[in-house]
Amino acid sequence: AAKEAALPPMPQSPRSVLCPGNKLLSSLPEFDEFENLIRQVWGTNVKVDVVMKLLGLYHCRETLVGDAMVRGVSGGEKKRTTMAEMVVGPRNVALMDEISTGLDSATLFTIIRWLAQSVHALQQTCVISLLQPPPEVFQLFDDVMLISEGRILYHGPVPEIVPFMASIGFDCPARKDVPSFLLEVTTPLGQHRYANDMLRQRKGLPRVSKLTPDDSLHGGGKGAAPPAPAAAAASARDQKPRDMLMSLEEMPRAFWDGTEQGRGMLRDVNAKVDESKLHPNALVHTKYALSPLEAIAVATKRQLVLVMRDKVLMKGRLAQVVVITLINGSLFYNLGVSLEDARTFIGACFMAMLFMSFGGFPHLAIMLEAKKIFYKHRDNMFVPPYAQGLAMALSQLPVSLLEAGIFTLIYYFMVNYYRQPG
């Protein structure tokens, strides 16, 4: 199926986002206020709160995302959480695929409008693929890219796509929304339905008279039969033609060779670039954006936040350590220093080592549950896998030291180990 991918913004017209009614967002005073607000807070920690507020996630900021075992946020909130995770990072290009799934029209309009405003304020680029978006959402984009079977049929400003389709032989009806028209025009039935007289004459097809709004609604008046050409057109549509009037090879050729927009993009793509004039950081030469030490530091900081956030588990583990220590200490309570007690001391040492060895078992379930996030970060090349592994180990080190300290202080004196220095 064809998809429309819109790209706000174009560098040469950073404020050409359209809102419903063919008015420019840049002409609204609140848009300038929004730009200033975004520029002020985007370099600070406040940007996380701003993104959550604008994407409707602020009310569930303390709620777990959830999974099959834990009830969390709703499906739409999960999708917006993923979107916020990508948007809040320091990136200039965002690629989003089918973000409208599971969202109602009002929520989708709010999200796209905010994305359009933010990318213009921050001079970023956002590529979004949408399947049959609502007309009011479609008009918010700067450019539209119509793709069918891997071929780019059109890539240019939103207001110019309908005139382009008319120039190659397909007219959009007055009451037809543009996204639905673009989806249907890439199918045989849609091409036969929307072909104008110029294309029909070139293909040797009969002309079809167009119905007026009154004829289409009232059937041509009281007691009047539908016009013969309209009946013939309806009969032809019912046959569901299988052949395209303009193939998917001809439509891209008409755009790339027949429009100034297409020829200009081809010239830019084929132009040779003087690499000596490029900024040294213009092209990425490393697999990861962070250095090894920076990646380890970032991953460790994140893991520490996750560990300290689960305070219930932390308190439970500490209470478990105290209880197990008291039980083990009671088994070897106040041992003597005679030769007969030597074996008992060895048994006490073995129980202590056993406790230390199995102390990390409660963390295994958490690590297995975090595998999906690990794979996500690895596939998106956020941080290297070794940084994730070291971060998990380092984040558990303070907890392990605290557990070992509590166990040792209680167990050592209950067993009556040697208390004299030296």
Side-chain angles (χ1 to χ4, degrees):
K3 294 182 180 180
E4 295 87 23
L7 298 86
M10 292 293 287
Q12 61 269 27
S13 56
R15 288 179 141 190
S16 58
V17 169
L18 296 175
C19 66
N22 294 329
K23 296 179 181 180
L24 290 173
L25 286 177
S26 57
S27 63
L28 302 177
E30 56 267 22
F31 181 73
D32 292 331
E33 297 177 2
F34 184 84
E35 274 195 0
N36 296 331
L37 175 64
I38 288 294
R39 291 194 183 100
Q40 291 174 5
V41 306
W42 205 252
T44 65
N45 293 330
V46 185
K47 67 179 180 180
V48 177
D49 295 331
V50 172
V51 172
M52 287 193 299
K53 190 74 174 178
L54 292 173
L55 293 183
L57 297 172
Y58 198 76
H59 66 281
C60 58
R61 62 188 181 279
E62 300 295 337
T63 305
L64 295 176
V65 175
D67 51 20
M69 301 297 294
V70 179
R71 183 177 180 180
V73 297
S74 63
E77 289 169 342
K78 287 182 180 179
K79 184 178 290 292
R80 280 176 280 166
T81 301
T82 303
M83 191 187 313
E85 183 183 4
M86 298 295 115
V87 172
V88 78
R91 54 179 53 82
N92 293 325
V93 178
L95 308 177
M96 304 182 183
D97 181 33
E98 291 291 348
I99 64 172
S100 59
T101 305
L103 301 178
D104 57 88
S105 299
T107 304
L108 179 63
F109 177 81
T110 302
I111 292 175
I112 297 298
R113 182 178 60 180
W114 173 77
L115 287 174
Q117 292 173 335
S118 62
V119 297
H120 283 83
L122 301 173
Q123 294 296 304
Q124 296 173 342
T125 300
C126 187
V127 182
I128 305 175
S129 68
L130 296 176
L131 182 61
Q132 199 171 355
E136 62 273 10
V137 173
F138 180 74
Q139 294 298 327
L140 289 174
F141 292 100
D142 289 314
D143 280 10
V144 59
M145 182 187 298
L146 181 64
I147 303 175
S148 181
E149 296 185 5
R151 297 180 176 88
I152 298 179
L153 309 184
Y154 176 84
H155 180 194
V158 170
E160 297 180 11
I161 189 169
V162 174
F164 167 74
M165 288 296 174
S167 66
I168 63 176
F170 303 105
D171 291 337
C172 181
R175 297 187 179 183
K176 186 73 173 178
D177 60 284
V178 177
S180 298
F181 164 73
L182 295 177
L183 284 176
E184 296 176 14
V185 82
T186 58
T187 63
L189 181 60
Q191 290 194 353
H192 282 262
R193 178 177 297 172
Y194 302 120
N196 55 22
D197 295 338
M198 176 189 67
L199 181 59
R200 288 182 174 275
Q201 183 178 4
R202 191 166 72 242
K203 297 295 182 178
L205 298 176
R207 298 177 60 183
V208 178
S209 61
K210 298 180 180 179
L211 295 176
T212 63
D214 292 336
D215 293 337
S216 61
L217 292 176
H218 304 290
K222 294 182 179 180
S235 177
R237 286 196 297 268
D238 292 339
Q239 295 178 1
K240 295 183 179 180
R242 299 181 179 178
D243 297 330
M244 303 273 285
L245 295 180
M246 179 174 286
S247 67
L248 296 180
E249 289 79 14
E250 295 176 323
M251 294 179 71
R253 203 158 46 240
F255 169 72
W256 295 109
D257 299 336
T259 63
E260 183 59 33
Q261 183 84 11
R263 291 192 295 266
M265 282 191 285
L266 287 178
R267 285 195 300 268
D268 294 339
V269 171
N270 296 327
K272 294 183 178 181
V273 180
D274 188 1
E275 297 183 0
S276 61
K277 298 181 180 179
L278 294 178
H279 192 274
N281 296 327
L283 298 177
V284 177
H285 301 283
T286 58
K287 186 176 182 180
Y288 300 99
L290 301 176
S291 64
L293 292 179
E294 290 175 339
I296 295 173
V298 169
T300 304
K301 182 179 179 180
R302 174 184 175 275
Q303 287 299 124
L304 286 174
V305 171
L306 294 177
V307 170
M308 300 305 297
R309 187 173 63 180
D310 199 349
K311 296 180 180 179
V312 176
L313 177 62
M314 184 75 64
K315 294 178 181 178
R317 290 181 62 176
L318 295 179
Q320 181 185 12
V321 169
V322 174
V323 172
I324 294 178
T325 305
L326 291 175
I327 294 174
N328 289 338
S330 64
L331 295 176
F332 306 96
Y333 182 72
N334 199 17
L335 294 178
V337 294
S338 62
L339 187 60
E340 289 79 8
D341 294 330
R343 290 192 176 186
T344 310
F345 270 108
I346 295 175
C349 294
F350 174 77
M351 291 298 295
M353 290 189 296
L354 196 65
F355 172 80
M356 296 296 180
S357 301
F358 289 97
F361 267 36
H363 190 63
L364 288 179
I366 301 176
M367 291 186 63
L368 293 176
E369 185 63 26
K371 283 178 62 178
K372 60 184 76 172
I373 300 178
F374 167 77
Y375 291 140
K376 177 182 178 181
H377 289 181
R378 183 197 64 182
D379 297 340
N380 287 278
M381 290 186 292
F382 289 169
V383 291
Y386 65 83
Q388 292 274 17
L390 287 175
M392 290 182 180
L394 293 175
S395 63
Q396 291 299 315
L397 185 59
V399 181
S400 299
L401 291 176
L402 181 60
E403 292 179 353
I406 295 175
F407 178 85
T408 303
L409 287 175
I410 299 176
Y411 191 73
Y412 191 92
F413 292 102
M414 287 187 69
V415 176
N416 194 24
Y417 281 106
Y418 193 70
R419 304 182 183 182
Q420 299 298 325

